[in-house]
Amino acid sequence: MIRIKDFCYWYPGQDQPALDGIDLEIPEGQFCGVVGPNGAGKSTLCYALSGFAPHFFHGTWEGELQVGKRDVPRSTLGELAGEIGLVFQNSFNQISGARFTVREEIAFGLENLGLKRKEIERRVEETLALIDLEALAERSPFALSGGQQQRVAIASILAMQPKLLVLDEPTSQLDPRGTQEVFKILDKLAGRGGTTVVLVEHKLEWLAAFADRVITFSQGRIVLDGSAKKILADEKLLKLGVGQTQFTQAAAAVQKKKFIPRSRPLPVTLKQAQKFFE
Amino acid sequence: MKLSFEGVFFTYSTGVRALDGIDLSIGSGEFVAIVGENGAGKTTLVKLLNGLLRPDGGKVVVGNWDTAEYSTAQLAGRVGFLFQNPDEQLFERAVQREVAFGPRNLGFSERKIASKSMSALKTVGLADHAEDNPYDLAPFERKLLALAATLAMDTPVLVLDEPSIGQDAAGRRRIGRILRELHTMGSTILLISHDLDFCAEYAERAVVMANGHILADGLVEKIFAQNDLLQRAAVFPPQLVRLAQALKMPTAPLKVDQFVNAYSQWHRRKKRA
């Protein structure tokens, strides 16, 4: 689905590349988490995958970046819009400002794709129900709380049914139950629907429970890449400033006190932790 | 400085009743976490403290001031705010000016403005960016800048709305350490957060809100151990509490070292039995 070869990207006027020689392949339907310290290049990866870098941010690039059959940096944003969806880190920036209600806001992207009226209505109703926004459908997107706006931003991208879904901390303002709901929806889309999901997320406990794979960025490069279980248990994450779940930290601390043999692999989820300590 | 809400109601012009009879008092120097689902009324509640919103009924008191009798500008000298979205509070063209804005409005002397703003920038780790434009900073740095602007005002009460959002582990620890330091110096701190692991690590008391009401109020270790209560407010207990519950340990540890101690004792006792 995604093939990136030796890709570099520089923001305008910067000498240091924000992405520095990225090699990455992600198969269709994979749920891939992206972690890394602040400023490591995670958001830039999201922009590159969706074509916003370079088409919106300008700057320069080299290397290859393909999504499906599409050569992303050589395609226009219009060509990419129906295939790749990006949920921005700050949902406020994503709201079009061109529509008066949440329902119209979700329809906005679909209208731009040129879908038929009936199909637009069907998808809007479906998405409102899926993201639990029915009660807010007639409210102005600007009169909502941060968490509610974030759900609208997610909904307006999901409604477009992109084959690749790129999300930059989409749950940062959601309460834990809302976060869990979003992860369950992404899991369903990736598992059954065959949607490829690339998700930047600081909430490691949720990545551990749902992601197939975790990629770690540092200074514009990929420094760790593997199964969620393997990467999130790697103690290098502590040095990188990514941190670890408290399950992992508690297990490592107890292992140091020799209550539990070193050979037992460190847990990253509650279930694994329960087994580890029993 | 102590705070109190006495029989407070608030309804937005859209007809949404955000606060439905709140009684809450907070002692001077307390560190209180306010948790609960999106739309529970947490942000509305704290906005009453500096007059950004005024209650429809009831009384909000900051120190010995009834907020009804004071302007937002006056209250800003007592209650410092870190908003959820830093872009709502940043508007100057240079980082240094952004941080100096609050203290200048409070009428501090130029010397005090310079020293307060520089030390606030140092505290959050942005001293090297003093001349930069706030909009050239990364989102996580803008959050730290907004925190610096709040700290520079040197208020006895601090309200932080989701300070750990968008921060990596190192950033969370930095913010946590700053809050702990302020708490030691006697500041009264209100922390709104969905990040219960963060609250468990730093706060002493927890207030749980749902639908404009207070569901529960008490010591963090007591409140965060109550699964059913927290689920009613759309939040889950901290990771270590859930782990201890899954293992049927008798305690609800909030920090890694507490868990390790509790586990060691429990492990020994189980071995003997």
Side-chain angles (χ1 to χ4, degrees), chain A residues 125-134 158 185 188-189:
Chain A
E125 293 315 312
E126 219 177 78
T127 314
L128 285 171
L130 181 71
I131 311 291
D132 195 18
L133 283 169
E134 283 156 317
L158 288 188
I185 290 167
K188 246 193 226 160
L189 288 171

Side-chain angles (χ1 to χ4, degrees), chain B residues 187-207:
Chain B
S187 299
T188 305
I189 302 177
L190 295 191
L191 165 67
I192 295 182
S193 181
H194 292 310
D195 185 346
L196 261 64
D197 296 310
F198 186 77
C199 295
E201 182 94 30
Y202 299 103
E204 289 172 337
R205 174 176 165 193
V207 172

Side-chain angles (χ1 to χ4, degrees), chain A residues 80-146:
Chain A
L80 298 168
E83 298 172 11
I84 304 166
L86 170 64
V87 177
F88 280 80
Q89 189 174 28
N90 186 344
S91 48
F92 192 77
N93 293 346
Q94 190 176 327
I95 287 170
S96 68
R99 292 292 183 270
F100 295 109
T101 69
V102 166
R103 176 178 272 116
E104 291 168 4
E105 178 68 32
I106 295 173
F108 184 65
L110 302 175
E111 288 161 8
N112 287 344
L113 291 182
L115 297 181
K116 293 219 172 75
R117 196 70 242 166
K118 270 246 159 71
E119 174 67 6
I120 292 177
E121 279 167 16
R122 194 182 62 78
R123 286 209 204 169
V124 168
E125 293 315 312
E126 219 177 78
T127 314
L128 285 171
L130 181 71
I131 311 291
D132 195 18
L133 283 169
E134 283 156 317
L136 303 176
E138 303 311 323
R139 298 264 294 273
S140 159
F142 290 102
L144 302 177
S145 75

Side-chain angles (χ1 to χ4, degrees), chain A residues 46 85-87 154 165-170 182 186 197-200:
Chain A
C46 294
L86 170 64
V87 177
I154 294 170
L165 196 50
V166 183
L167 309 101
D168 195 357
E169 293 189 57
V182 168
L186 296 179
V197 177
V198 175
L199 169 68
V200 174

Side-chain angles (χ1 to χ4, degrees), chain B residues 95-238:
Chain B
V95 163
Q96 159 78 31
R97 288 175 58 94
E98 189 66 63
V99 182
F101 179 83
R104 182 159 291 131
N105 270 359
L106 292 178
F108 290 6
S109 70
E110 280 305 316
R111 238 182 58 195
K112 194 170 170 192
I113 294 170
S115 81
K116 287 285 168 203
S117 44
M118 206 51 215
S119 88
L121 282 177
K122 271 190 198 139
T123 304
V124 303
L126 286 178
D128 293 341
H129 291 279
E131 303 305 322
D132 293 355
N133 186 315
Y135 279 87
D136 290 337
L137 300 179
F140 79 97
E141 290 170 327
R142 285 208 290 277
K143 190 97 187 188
L144 291 170
L145 170 57
L147 176 59
T150 311
L151 297 179
M153 294 173 76
D154 207 11
T155 53
V157 181
L158 267 169
V159 177
L160 305 109
D161 199 348
E162 296 286 2
S164 62
I165 279 184
Q167 299 288 335
D168 59 19
R172 284 175 77 209
R173 256 203 316 281
R174 179 187 278 273
I175 292 174
R177 271 202 306 266
I178 294 170
L179 297 187
R180 184 174 284 157
E181 168 87 13
L182 289 164
H183 178 51
T184 316
M185 311 273 281
S187 299
T188 305
I189 302 177
L190 295 191
L191 165 67
I192 295 182
S193 181
H194 292 310
D195 185 346
L196 261 64
D197 296 310
F198 186 77
C199 295
E201 182 94 30
Y202 299 103
E204 289 172 337
R205 174 176 165 193
V207 172
V208 185
M209 289 186 72
N211 296 323
H213 293 278
I214 290 176
L215 274 189
D217 178 2
L219 289 175
V220 167
E221 50 267 40
K222 287 239 169 74
I223 299 289
F224 284 4
Q226 299 177 50
N227 251 322
D228 294 347
L229 166 74
L230 293 175
Q231 292 214 4
R232 267 162 59 208
V235 297
F236 308 124

